Amino acid sequence: MHSKLLDELNENGFIVIEDFLTPEEVDSLYQAGRALCMEAPQTNRKIFSTIKAEDAHSKELYFMESGDKVRYFFEKGAVGEEGQLLVDPMIALNKVGHALHVEHSTFNAVTFSNRVREICWQLNFNRPAVCQSMYIYKNPGIGGEVISHQDSWYLHTDPNSAVGFWFALEDCTLQNGCLQFIKGSHKSGVHRRYVRNPDKDANELMVYDRAAPIYPQSSFTPLQVSKGTCIIIHGNVVHKSEPNRSQKSRHAYTFHVIETENNVKYSEDNWLQAPQDKPFPVLFERKD
């Protein structure tokens, strides 16, 4: 089957679909995200940062065991050394993950909607499964950068099959840290992997298998999009977001789909592993 969506994804590495969500859906997801802020645990707060390795969650099982749970990751700078909040709880979180699509009805409804199934169908998935989801806050002033990466670093399959669905719940601008992509970069393979540490005696449970590639800033195209927009993200396309330097947050909901048929193998050294009794939920099975 051939579709324009698939052509566009194969050409650019991403697709922008405006008004994918209704204003009511945007509002209900946004309100659910705000409610999560108040449900965040008061104790045992964990710093979440993709920048500094010594602070990284890579040393912590809290992150690695979050695949089938709703867990809370705080911004760097939001929590003091004693675990006390240094900022308003409404702007303290970096993200919540990684099973909102299963454990939370509001996020479940959008993730398993017919519109999402239709896109996966047009992208030629045969048995797509949702492996993880996140609510990302990108709060004003404190919302940190997300380093240049390919999603396949983290959600690797052989052959590569990961596709991200990223929903803007607020308008995304250069100032508040919109997504930026290197158009066509998905055609150059997977540049490195984030894997379970083969050295079982090491402190770090997760390691990168290679140094970070250098991507010139001039290669990136910023996508300034309005709330309700869905960006479809090829697993191998290089993308990033800058820190939020504005006075306005940039909430987003995102999840990832992988192929589970056609001899596609989910990598056993990915950080995220489905529990034996809870396989990744399937969106549909294509019957010939």
Side-chain angles (χ1 to χ4, degrees):
M1 195 182 93
H2 198 72
S3 76
K4 281 187 178 157
L5 277 182
L6 189 58
D7 286 347
E8 190 174 341
L9 191 65
N10 286 339
E11 178 61 29
N12 296 328
F14 59 87
I15 308 166
V16 176
I17 307 173
E18 294 180 343
D19 299 317
F20 185 93
L21 299 177
T22 66
E24 295 73 27
E25 287 171 321
V26 170
D27 191 58
S28 82
L29 290 167
Y30 178 78
Q31 295 305 338
R34 285 177 64 84
L36 288 169
C37 294
M38 303 319 291
E39 293 162 19
Q42 307 302 306
T43 55
N44 198 20
R45 296 184 177 108
K46 304 285 175 179
I47 291 172
F48 185 87
S49 164
T50 54
I51 309 254
K52 282 181 77 177
E54 61 265 32
D55 286 339
H57 52 244
S58 57
K59 295 190 181 75
E60 299 184 304
L61 287 166
Y62 184 82
F63 171 77
M64 290 176 67
E65 293 171 352
S66 66
D68 61 338
K69 302 175 186 69
V70 174
R71 288 196 161 173
Y72 303 83
F73 301 91
F74 289 88
E75 274 299 353
K76 196 168 172 52
V79 181
E81 285 180 22
E82 305 302 312
Q84 76 278 26
L85 273 192
L86 304 176
V87 297
D88 181 316
M90 295 310 287
I91 63 162
L93 289 173
N94 171 288
K95 72 177 192 179
V96 176
H98 286 88
L100 289 167
H101 60 292
V102 174
E103 301 295 328
H104 195 297
S105 59
T106 305
F107 298 104
N108 176 272
V110 167
T111 309
F112 291 89
S113 66
N114 284 336
R115 276 163 294 164
V116 167
R117 289 189 169 103
E118 175 62 29
I119 284 178
C120 289
W121 185 275
Q122 291 191 32
L123 295 180
N124 277 359
F125 278 96
N126 281 317
R127 192 173 178 271
V130 182
C131 56
Q132 60 117 306
S133 55
M134 297 182 283
Y135 193 97
I136 301 169
Y137 291 89
K138 198 71 145 179
N139 281 309
I142 198 171
E145 75 172 305
V146 176
I147 59 167
S148 306
H149 67 283
Q150 301 167 298
D151 291 337
S152 292
W153 293 4
Y154 308 101
L155 301 170
H156 187 267
T157 65
D158 185 16
N160 292 303
S161 69
V163 170
F165 284 71
W166 191 96
F167 301 92
L169 304 180
E170 296 183 281
D171 294 344
C172 303
T173 64
L174 281 172
Q175 289 71 35
N176 72 1
C178 66
L179 293 187
Q180 302 193 32
F181 288 81
I182 302 182
K183 204 177 273 194
S185 55
H186 62 294
K187 298 172 184 175
S188 58
V190 179
H191 304 160
R192 71 167 174 169
R193 297 266 321 278
Y194 186 63
V195 297
R196 291 178 175 243
N197 196 340
D199 179 0
K200 298 299 175 218
D201 298 325
N203 288 332
E204 291 192 311
L205 298 173
M206 299 295 307
V207 291
Y208 286 104
D209 65 349
R210 279 161 279 177
I214 307 297
Y215 304 110
Q217 174 57 38
S218 58
S219 305
F220 286 90
T221 302
L223 298 185
Q224 301 193 72
V225 299
S226 52
K227 62 184 179 183
T229 299
C230 175
I231 303 177
I232 312 288
I233 303 172
H234 191 290
N236 291 5
V237 75
V238 176
H239 59 291
K240 67 171 183 174
S241 66
E242 296 289 322
N244 184 349
R245 300 186 173 90
S246 77
Q247 298 305 304
K248 196 168 175 341
S249 55
R250 195 225 65 188
H251 289 207
Y253 172 59
T254 182
F255 61 84
H256 285 86
V257 173
I258 54 166
E259 179 62 273
T260 62
E261 291 246 309
N262 307 14
N263 296 319
V264 174
K265 188 165 163 27
Y266 185 79
S267 300
E268 290 175 5
D269 52 3
N270 287 343
W271 75 267
L272 174 67
Q273 297 295 328
Q276 292 280 294
D277 58 336
K278 277 195 202 171
F280 297 137
V282 171
L283 282 156
F284 63 78
E285 279 189 70
R286 194 186 288 261
K287 301 281 187 231
D288 292 334

